[in-house]
mmCIF file of all heavy atoms in Angstrom:
data_model
loop_
_atom_site.group_PDB
_atom_site.id
_atom_site.type_symbol
_atom_site.label_atom_id
_atom_site.label_comp_id
_atom_site.label_asym_id
_atom_site.label_seq_id
_atom_site.Cartn_x
_atom_site.Cartn_y
_atom_site.Cartn_z
ATOM 1 N N THR A 1 -16.970 -9.093 -19.402
ATOM 2 C CA THR A 1 -18.298 -8.871 -19.963
ATOM 3 C C THR A 1 -18.191 -8.233 -21.348
ATOM 4 O O THR A 1 -17.139 -7.721 -21.728
ATOM 5 C CB THR A 1 -19.133 -7.952 -19.049
ATOM 6 O OG1 THR A 1 -18.495 -6.664 -18.980
ATOM 7 C CG2 THR A 1 -19.230 -8.525 -17.645
ATOM 8 N N PRO A 2 -19.276 -8.230 -22.136
ATOM 9 C CA PRO A 2 -19.231 -7.611 -23.469
ATOM 10 C C PRO A 2 -18.954 -6.109 -23.391
ATOM 11 O O PRO A 2 -19.140 -5.475 -22.342
ATOM 12 C CB PRO A 2 -20.634 -7.882 -24.016
ATOM 13 C CG PRO A 2 -21.156 -9.038 -23.241
ATOM 14 C CD PRO A 2 -20.566 -8.889 -21.873
ATOM 15 N N GLY A 3 -18.502 -5.527 -24.520
ATOM 16 C CA GLY A 3 -18.217 -4.102 -24.591
ATOM 17 C C GLY A 3 -19.383 -3.260 -24.112
ATOM 18 O O GLY A 3 -20.539 -3.572 -24.389
ATOM 19 N N GLY A 4 -19.069 -2.198 -23.366
ATOM 20 C CA GLY A 4 -20.106 -1.307 -22.850
ATOM 21 C C GLY A 4 -20.542 -1.614 -21.443
ATOM 22 O O GLY A 4 -21.306 -0.840 -20.849
ATOM 23 N N LYS A 5 -20.074 -2.723 -20.865
ATOM 24 C CA LYS A 5 -20.430 -3.082 -19.490
ATOM 25 C C LYS A 5 -19.200 -2.999 -18.601
ATOM 26 O O LYS A 5 -18.071 -3.187 -19.041
ATOM 27 C CB LYS A 5 -21.025 -4.500 -19.443
ATOM 28 C CG LYS A 5 -22.329 -4.643 -20.211
ATOM 29 C CD LYS A 5 -22.891 -6.057 -20.076
ATOM 30 C CE LYS A 5 -24.205 -6.196 -20.844
ATOM 31 N NZ LYS A 5 -25.278 -5.337 -20.253
ATOM 32 N N TRP A 6 -19.430 -2.725 -17.313
ATOM 33 C CA TRP A 6 -18.333 -2.553 -16.363
ATOM 34 C C TRP A 6 -17.712 -3.895 -15.981
ATOM 35 O O TRP A 6 -18.407 -4.903 -15.861
ATOM 36 C CB TRP A 6 -18.819 -1.838 -15.104
ATOM 37 C CG TRP A 6 -19.084 -0.383 -15.315
ATOM 38 C CD1 TRP A 6 -20.301 0.218 -15.472
ATOM 39 C CD2 TRP A 6 -18.109 0.663 -15.411
ATOM 40 N NE1 TRP A 6 -20.151 1.569 -15.656
ATOM 41 C CE2 TRP A 6 -18.816 1.873 -15.621
ATOM 42 C CE3 TRP A 6 -16.720 0.701 -15.335
ATOM 43 C CZ2 TRP A 6 -18.171 3.100 -15.757
ATOM 44 C CZ3 TRP A 6 -16.073 1.923 -15.475
ATOM 45 C CH2 TRP A 6 -16.794 3.105 -15.688
ATOM 46 N N ASN A 7 -16.403 -3.880 -15.800
ATOM 47 C CA ASN A 7 -15.629 -5.020 -15.319
ATOM 48 C C ASN A 7 -14.744 -4.562 -14.172
ATOM 49 O O ASN A 7 -14.387 -3.380 -14.088
ATOM 50 C CB ASN A 7 -14.722 -5.573 -16.423
ATOM 51 C CG ASN A 7 -15.489 -6.115 -17.599
ATOM 52 O OD1 ASN A 7 -15.860 -7.282 -17.614
ATOM 53 N ND2 ASN A 7 -15.749 -5.275 -18.590
ATOM 54 N N GLN A 8 -14.352 -5.497 -13.322
ATOM 55 C CA GLN A 8 -13.374 -5.170 -12.285
ATOM 56 C C GLN A 8 -12.110 -6.009 -12.490
ATOM 57 O O GLN A 8 -12.191 -7.222 -12.699
ATOM 58 C CB GLN A 8 -13.908 -5.443 -10.878
ATOM 59 C CG GLN A 8 -12.921 -4.966 -9.794
ATOM 60 C CD GLN A 8 -13.276 -5.442 -8.395
ATOM 61 O OE1 GLN A 8 -13.095 -6.607 -8.045
ATOM 62 N NE2 GLN A 8 -13.813 -4.526 -7.592
ATOM 63 N N TYR A 9 -10.970 -5.341 -12.457
ATOM 64 C CA TYR A 9 -9.674 -6.008 -12.438
ATOM 65 C C TYR A 9 -9.044 -5.807 -11.065
ATOM 66 O O TYR A 9 -9.227 -4.756 -10.429
ATOM 67 C CB TYR A 9 -8.737 -5.414 -13.487
ATOM 68 C CG TYR A 9 -8.867 -5.993 -14.877
ATOM 69 C CD1 TYR A 9 -9.873 -6.896 -15.207
ATOM 70 C CD2 TYR A 9 -7.977 -5.631 -15.879
ATOM 71 C CE1 TYR A 9 -9.978 -7.416 -16.490
ATOM 72 C CE2 TYR A 9 -8.072 -6.134 -17.156
ATOM 73 C CZ TYR A 9 -9.076 -7.032 -17.459
ATOM 74 O OH TYR A 9 -9.176 -7.536 -18.733
ATOM 75 N N GLU A 10 -8.282 -6.794 -10.649
ATOM 76 C CA GLU A 10 -7.506 -6.682 -9.416
ATOM 77 C C GLU A 10 -6.112 -7.227 -9.683
ATOM 78 O O GLU A 10 -5.957 -8.296 -10.281
ATOM 79 C CB GLU A 10 -8.168 -7.450 -8.274
ATOM 80 C CG GLU A 10 -7.405 -7.354 -6.953
ATOM 81 C CD GLU A 10 -8.114 -8.030 -5.792
ATOM 82 O OE1 GLU A 10 -9.163 -8.676 -6.036
ATOM 83 O OE2 GLU A 10 -7.625 -7.923 -4.653
ATOM 84 N N VAL A 11 -5.113 -6.486 -9.252
ATOM 85 C CA VAL A 11 -3.716 -6.895 -9.388
ATOM 86 C C VAL A 11 -3.106 -6.913 -7.993
ATOM 87 O O VAL A 11 -3.063 -5.887 -7.311
ATOM 88 C CB VAL A 11 -2.924 -5.919 -10.288
ATOM 89 C CG1 VAL A 11 -1.454 -6.333 -10.356
ATOM 90 C CG2 VAL A 11 -3.528 -5.854 -11.683
ATOM 91 N N LYS A 12 -2.633 -8.089 -7.572
ATOM 92 C CA LYS A 12 -1.926 -8.221 -6.304
ATOM 93 C C LYS A 12 -0.471 -8.545 -6.617
ATOM 94 O O LYS A 12 -0.179 -9.558 -7.255
ATOM 95 C CB LYS A 12 -2.523 -9.334 -5.452
ATOM 96 C CG LYS A 12 -3.831 -9.006 -4.778
ATOM 97 C CD LYS A 12 -4.250 -10.143 -3.843
ATOM 98 C CE LYS A 12 -5.566 -9.832 -3.134
ATOM 99 N NZ LYS A 12 -5.982 -10.943 -2.234
ATOM 100 N N ALA A 13 0.421 -7.677 -6.159
ATOM 101 C CA ALA A 13 1.857 -7.891 -6.345
ATOM 102 C C ALA A 13 2.514 -7.785 -4.981
ATOM 103 O O ALA A 13 2.562 -6.704 -4.389
ATOM 104 C CB ALA A 13 2.431 -6.856 -7.307
ATOM 105 N N ASP A 14 2.999 -8.910 -4.489
ATOM 106 C CA ASP A 14 3.550 -8.951 -3.135
ATOM 107 C C ASP A 14 4.885 -9.683 -3.149
ATOM 108 O O ASP A 14 4.937 -10.907 -3.212
ATOM 109 C CB ASP A 14 2.566 -9.653 -2.191
ATOM 110 C CG ASP A 14 2.962 -9.507 -0.722
ATOM 111 O OD1 ASP A 14 3.938 -8.797 -0.430
ATOM 112 O OD2 ASP A 14 2.292 -10.116 0.125
ATOM 113 N N ARG A 15 5.968 -8.900 -3.173
ATOM 114 C CA ARG A 15 7.318 -9.455 -3.134
ATOM 115 C C ARG A 15 7.548 -10.483 -4.242
ATOM 116 O O ARG A 15 8.090 -11.557 -4.026
ATOM 117 C CB ARG A 15 7.620 -10.033 -1.755
ATOM 118 C CG ARG A 15 7.657 -8.946 -0.681
ATOM 119 C CD ARG A 15 7.436 -9.461 0.717
ATOM 120 N NE ARG A 15 7.383 -8.330 1.659
ATOM 121 C CZ ARG A 15 6.307 -7.585 1.884
ATOM 122 N NH1 ARG A 15 5.179 -7.834 1.237
ATOM 123 N NH2 ARG A 15 6.348 -6.576 2.728
ATOM 124 N N GLY A 16 7.086 -10.125 -5.409
ATOM 125 C CA GLY A 16 7.280 -10.964 -6.579
ATOM 126 C C GLY A 16 6.153 -11.927 -6.869
ATOM 127 O O GLY A 16 6.100 -12.497 -7.961
ATOM 128 N N HIS A 17 5.257 -12.133 -5.917
ATOM 129 C CA HIS A 17 4.109 -13.005 -6.156
ATOM 130 C C HIS A 17 3.005 -12.184 -6.811
ATOM 131 O O HIS A 17 2.466 -11.259 -6.206
ATOM 132 C CB HIS A 17 3.619 -13.611 -4.839
ATOM 133 C CG HIS A 17 2.489 -14.575 -5.011
ATOM 134 N ND1 HIS A 17 1.668 -14.948 -3.967
ATOM 135 C CD2 HIS A 17 2.032 -15.250 -6.109
ATOM 136 C CE1 HIS A 17 0.761 -15.810 -4.401
ATOM 137 N NE2 HIS A 17 0.958 -16.005 -5.701
ATOM 138 N N LEU A 18 2.675 -12.508 -8.048
ATOM 139 C CA LEU A 18 1.696 -11.748 -8.822
ATOM 140 C C LEU A 18 0.434 -12.569 -9.022
ATOM 141 O O LEU A 18 0.478 -13.701 -9.501
ATOM 142 C CB LEU A 18 2.278 -11.371 -10.183
ATOM 143 C CG LEU A 18 1.345 -10.612 -11.129
ATOM 144 C CD1 LEU A 18 1.027 -9.225 -10.590
ATOM 145 C CD2 LEU A 18 1.944 -10.525 -12.535
ATOM 146 N N GLN A 19 -0.720 -11.975 -8.664
ATOM 147 C CA GLN A 19 -2.013 -12.596 -8.891
ATOM 148 C C GLN A 19 -2.921 -11.599 -9.610
ATOM 149 O O GLN A 19 -2.999 -10.433 -9.216
ATOM 150 C CB GLN A 19 -2.656 -13.006 -7.566
ATOM 151 C CG GLN A 19 -1.840 -13.999 -6.759
ATOM 152 C CD GLN A 19 -2.449 -14.236 -5.390
ATOM 153 O OE1 GLN A 19 -3.409 -14.993 -5.244
ATOM 154 N NE2 GLN A 19 -1.905 -13.570 -4.373
ATOM 155 N N LEU A 20 -3.600 -12.074 -10.641
ATOM 156 C CA LEU A 20 -4.526 -11.240 -11.395
ATOM 157 C C LEU A 20 -5.934 -11.810 -11.265
ATOM 158 O O LEU A 20 -6.135 -13.030 -11.392
ATOM 159 C CB LEU A 20 -4.132 -11.198 -12.879
ATOM 160 C CG LEU A 20 -2.716 -10.720 -13.216
ATOM 161 C CD1 LEU A 20 -2.537 -10.652 -14.730
ATOM 162 C CD2 LEU A 20 -2.394 -9.387 -12.573
ATOM 163 N N PHE A 21 -6.900 -10.922 -11.037
ATOM 164 C CA PHE A 21 -8.294 -11.306 -10.867
ATOM 165 C C PHE A 21 -9.153 -10.538 -11.861
ATOM 166 O O PHE A 21 -8.935 -9.348 -12.089
ATOM 167 C CB PHE A 21 -8.783 -10.983 -9.455
ATOM 168 C CG PHE A 21 -8.036 -11.707 -8.350
ATOM 169 C CD1 PHE A 21 -6.793 -11.258 -7.929
ATOM 170 C CD2 PHE A 21 -8.585 -12.822 -7.740
ATOM 171 C CE1 PHE A 21 -6.102 -11.914 -6.914
ATOM 172 C CE2 PHE A 21 -7.912 -13.484 -6.715
ATOM 173 C CZ PHE A 21 -6.663 -13.021 -6.303
ATOM 174 N N GLN A 22 -10.155 -11.217 -12.401
ATOM 175 C CA GLN A 22 -11.076 -10.611 -13.359
ATOM 176 C C GLN A 22 -12.497 -10.860 -12.866
ATOM 177 O O GLN A 22 -12.941 -12.009 -12.775
ATOM 178 C CB GLN A 22 -10.857 -11.242 -14.733
ATOM 179 C CG GLN A 22 -11.598 -10.581 -15.879
ATOM 180 C CD GLN A 22 -11.260 -11.284 -17.186
ATOM 181 O OE1 GLN A 22 -11.687 -12.415 -17.409
ATOM 182 N NE2 GLN A 22 -10.499 -10.617 -18.039
ATOM 183 N N ASN A 23 -13.171 -9.777 -12.499
ATOM 184 C CA ASN A 23 -14.536 -9.869 -11.977
ATOM 185 C C ASN A 23 -14.649 -10.898 -10.856
ATOM 186 O O ASN A 23 -15.582 -11.702 -10.787
ATOM 187 C CB ASN A 23 -15.520 -10.187 -13.106
ATOM 188 C CG ASN A 23 -15.681 -9.011 -14.058
ATOM 189 O OD1 ASN A 23 -15.624 -7.856 -13.646
ATOM 190 N ND2 ASN A 23 -15.863 -9.292 -15.340
ATOM 191 N N GLY A 24 -13.665 -10.859 -9.956
ATOM 192 C CA GLY A 24 -13.682 -11.703 -8.769
ATOM 193 C C GLY A 24 -13.071 -13.073 -8.935
ATOM 194 O O GLY A 24 -12.922 -13.812 -7.957
ATOM 195 N N HIS A 25 -12.677 -13.447 -10.150
ATOM 196 C CA HIS A 25 -12.102 -14.765 -10.418
ATOM 197 C C HIS A 25 -10.589 -14.644 -10.591
ATOM 198 O O HIS A 25 -10.121 -13.839 -11.399
ATOM 199 C CB HIS A 25 -12.700 -15.363 -11.691
ATOM 200 C CG HIS A 25 -14.193 -15.513 -11.654
ATOM 201 N ND1 HIS A 25 -14.816 -16.626 -11.134
ATOM 202 C CD2 HIS A 25 -15.181 -14.677 -12.062
ATOM 203 C CE1 HIS A 25 -16.128 -16.486 -11.231
ATOM 204 N NE2 HIS A 25 -16.377 -15.316 -11.790
ATOM 205 N N LYS A 26 -9.835 -15.459 -9.854
ATOM 206 C CA LYS A 26 -8.389 -15.477 -10.063
ATOM 207 C C LYS A 26 -8.102 -16.157 -11.390
ATOM 208 O O LYS A 26 -8.509 -17.284 -11.632
ATOM 209 C CB LYS A 26 -7.676 -16.209 -8.934
ATOM 210 C CG LYS A 26 -6.150 -16.175 -9.080
ATOM 211 C CD LYS A 26 -5.459 -17.117 -8.113
ATOM 212 C CE LYS A 26 -5.573 -16.635 -6.681
ATOM 213 N NZ LYS A 26 -4.727 -17.458 -5.762
ATOM 214 N N ILE A 27 -7.373 -15.468 -12.266
ATOM 215 C CA ILE A 27 -7.117 -16.011 -13.594
ATOM 216 C C ILE A 27 -5.638 -16.247 -13.868
ATOM 217 O O ILE A 27 -5.294 -17.006 -14.771
ATOM 218 C CB ILE A 27 -7.715 -15.094 -14.688
ATOM 219 C CG1 ILE A 27 -7.208 -13.661 -14.534
ATOM 220 C CG2 ILE A 27 -9.236 -15.143 -14.658
ATOM 221 C CD1 ILE A 27 -7.632 -12.734 -15.658
ATOM 222 N N ILE A 28 -4.754 -15.607 -13.095
ATOM 223 C CA ILE A 28 -3.313 -15.813 -13.262
ATOM 224 C C ILE A 28 -2.659 -15.763 -11.885
ATOM 225 O O ILE A 28 -2.978 -14.896 -11.063
ATOM 226 C CB ILE A 28 -2.694 -14.745 -14.195
ATOM 227 C CG1 ILE A 28 -3.113 -14.996 -15.649
ATOM 228 C CG2 ILE A 28 -1.167 -14.728 -14.084
ATOM 229 C CD1 ILE A 28 -2.638 -13.967 -16.634
ATOM 230 N N ASP A 29 -1.736 -16.690 -11.655
ATOM 231 C CA ASP A 29 -0.984 -16.749 -10.398
ATOM 232 C C ASP A 29 0.437 -17.149 -10.754
ATOM 233 O O ASP A 29 0.678 -18.268 -11.211
ATOM 234 C CB ASP A 29 -1.632 -17.768 -9.449
ATOM 235 C CG ASP A 29 -1.085 -17.683 -8.023
ATOM 236 O OD1 ASP A 29 0.086 -17.291 -7.861
ATOM 237 O OD2 ASP A 29 -1.836 -18.002 -7.084
ATOM 238 N N THR A 30 1.375 -16.221 -10.602
ATOM 239 C CA THR A 30 2.741 -16.495 -11.030
ATOM 240 C C THR A 30 3.728 -15.743 -10.139
ATOM 241 O O THR A 30 3.328 -15.041 -9.208
ATOM 242 C CB THR A 30 2.929 -16.093 -12.506
ATOM 243 O OG1 THR A 30 4.183 -16.580 -12.984
ATOM 244 C CG2 THR A 30 2.871 -14.578 -12.689
ATOM 245 N N HIS A 31 5.004 -15.896 -10.418
ATOM 246 C CA HIS A 31 6.051 -15.190 -9.673
ATOM 247 C C HIS A 31 6.942 -14.426 -10.649
ATOM 248 O O HIS A 31 7.305 -14.950 -11.720
ATOM 249 C CB HIS A 31 6.887 -16.168 -8.846
ATOM 250 C CG HIS A 31 6.161 -16.689 -7.646
ATOM 251 N ND1 HIS A 31 5.246 -17.719 -7.724
ATOM 252 C CD2 HIS A 31 6.190 -16.301 -6.337
ATOM 253 C CE1 HIS A 31 4.746 -17.962 -6.512
ATOM 254 N NE2 HIS A 31 5.300 -17.115 -5.661
ATOM 255 N N LEU A 32 7.266 -13.228 -10.268
ATOM 256 C CA LEU A 32 8.128 -12.383 -11.073
ATOM 257 C C LEU A 32 9.592 -12.579 -10.691
ATOM 258 O O LEU A 32 9.908 -12.993 -9.583
ATOM 259 C CB LEU A 32 7.754 -10.909 -10.874
ATOM 260 C CG LEU A 32 6.290 -10.525 -11.055
ATOM 261 C CD1 LEU A 32 6.101 -9.042 -10.748
ATOM 262 C CD2 LEU A 32 5.813 -10.844 -12.461
ATOM 263 N N TRP A 33 10.454 -12.279 -11.642
ATOM 264 C CA TRP A 33 11.895 -12.121 -11.411
ATOM 265 C C TRP A 33 12.640 -13.404 -11.059
ATOM 266 O O TRP A 33 13.769 -13.347 -10.607
ATOM 267 C CB TRP A 33 12.134 -11.050 -10.333
ATOM 268 C CG TRP A 33 11.360 -9.795 -10.604
ATOM 269 C CD1 TRP A 33 11.291 -9.100 -11.792
ATOM 270 C CD2 TRP A 33 10.501 -9.093 -9.703
ATOM 271 N NE1 TRP A 33 10.454 -8.015 -11.676
ATOM 272 C CE2 TRP A 33 9.955 -7.968 -10.403
ATOM 273 C CE3 TRP A 33 10.160 -9.281 -8.358
ATOM 274 C CZ2 TRP A 33 9.086 -7.073 -9.817
ATOM 275 C CZ3 TRP A 33 9.294 -8.389 -7.771
ATOM 276 C CH2 TRP A 33 8.759 -7.290 -8.486
#
């Protein structure tokens, strides 16, 4: 959202599986290492 409004981030890291969410939407799904 524009500056001054609240946003939610979520980071799921499970045994190298990384998922990033922005305001409820999955935006990145990758694997580490």
Side-chain angles (χ1 to χ4, degrees):
T1 63
K5 297 182 180 295
W6 287 102
N7 297 272
Q8 186 191 74
Y9 275 7
E10 181 176 6
V11 177
K12 284 186 179 179
D14 190 5
R15 294 158 185 82
H17 183 198
L18 178 67
Q19 300 173 80
L20 303 184
F21 299 79
Q22 188 178 71
N23 290 326
H25 302 273
K26 183 191 290 188
I27 54 174
I28 288 176
D29 192 331
T30 190
H31 287 81
L32 308 177
W33 311 311

